[in-house]
Every structure is written in C-alpha cells, then in structure tokens.
Amino acid sequence: MTTYTKPLPAISSLNRPYWEALKRHELKLQRCTECGKVWYPPAPFCPACWSDAVTWQRLSGRGRVNSWVVFHQAYFPSFQDDLPYNVAEVELEEGPRLLTNLVGVDLAEIRIGMPVEVVFEDVTPEITLAKFRPVEQHSR
Ligand SMILES: [Zn+2]
C-alpha cells in the first residue's frame, strides 16, 4: 500500500460513527427521530427542532451535484499530482450537503444537478473517504 500523504480527518466522539460506517462502506448520518431531519456535520442535537433524540441512519448514497470548483493549484503539496482536481458539494437525497470529490468523470462533463452516487475510497487502514461518481457509469 502506498503511503497516503493528504490531510486526514480528525475523528472525535461526535463524528466517530460516521467514519466507522464509511470504513464498512456504508454512508450514515444523524437523523432526528422527532422530526425526521437528517444533517451533517454531526451535532449533539437536531439543528431543526433541538431534540436530542438522535440516531445514526444508513443513507441511500444518492444525490446531486449542487456546486463544484476545479483546483488548478495545489494548496497542499500532496495534491500536486492530482491537478487539476475537483471539489464538489453534493446534496444527498436525504437533504444534507457533503463536500467531496467527484470521481470517474471528466472535469468538462460536471454539471449542476448531475445525479451521483457514493463510492468508498479506502485511503488508510483507518480512514475511508466518501466520494461520488455519476450514476450513469453504474450501468455500463
Ligand atoms: Zn428534529
């Protein structure tokens, strides 16, 4: 396994279930059992109704590209070989928006509203990242 040199997330007691689910290749976020809202990033209370009746729910992994940018400059040296690369905001079917990278797509083909689905990238033995690819690719 090649050494992963990019920045890694800081795991806390609050976000640990998110990262542990990704490691099992499942996308899970917190859901309020009072009002049904799903949100990200993790919080101890529902941001809609302040209930602490919070559960972790497995999501569909489907969403749409809400916005994206293409980086032509490496702000971390470890991203140099990826240039140019995209950073996208994906709005999940369940509502929350995740900052992520789109994979398996030409930069010129990225569109707002493009349907995408989660893919799991194991970057270290501890950390798996959620990335997204166009849904169309799935049926090839
Ligand atoms: Zn709520």
Side-chain angles (χ1 to χ4, degrees), residues 9-140:
I11 296 182
S12 67
S13 56
L14 196 56
N15 68 22
R16 184 176 303 279
Y18 173 77
W19 294 108
E20 287 184 344
L22 285 185
K23 205 170 149 184
R24 296 190 305 269
H25 290 192
E26 294 176 0
L27 183 62
K28 284 189 174 183
L29 288 180
Q30 287 174 302
R31 179 177 175 276
C32 173
T33 59
E34 296 286 335
C35 74
K37 187 173 177 69
V38 179
W39 66 87
Y40 183 87
F45 297 96
C46 169
C49 74
W50 305 106
S51 167
D52 63 357
V54 173
T55 184
W56 285 86
Q57 176 168 315
R58 188 171 178 183
L59 305 185
S60 67
R62 290 187 297 270
R64 288 181 182 274
V65 175
N66 194 58
S67 67
W68 82 97
V69 293
V70 173
F71 284 86
H72 295 277
Q73 186 179 338
Y75 294 96
F76 293 94
S78 52
F79 285 87
Q80 189 69 41
D81 291 344
D82 297 342
L83 292 177
Y85 68 91
N86 72 77
V87 174
E89 185 186 65
V90 167
E91 183 168 328
L92 299 171
E93 268 186 357
E94 293 84 357
R97 294 173 177 183
L98 295 181
L99 277 181
T100 183
N101 304 117
L102 303 177
V103 297
V105 62
D106 288 341
L107 293 173
E109 291 174 359
I110 302 174
R111 297 283 181 272
I112 287 177
M114 174 183 263
V116 291
E117 64 187 358
V118 71
V119 289
F120 300 97
E121 195 171 306
D122 300 315
V123 297
T124 73
E126 303 304 320
I127 296 294
T128 297
L129 299 177
K131 302 201 171 182
F132 287 81
R133 68 179 173 196
V135 168
E136 287 82 3
Q137 258 205 347
H138 200 55
S139 54
R140 265 188 212 163

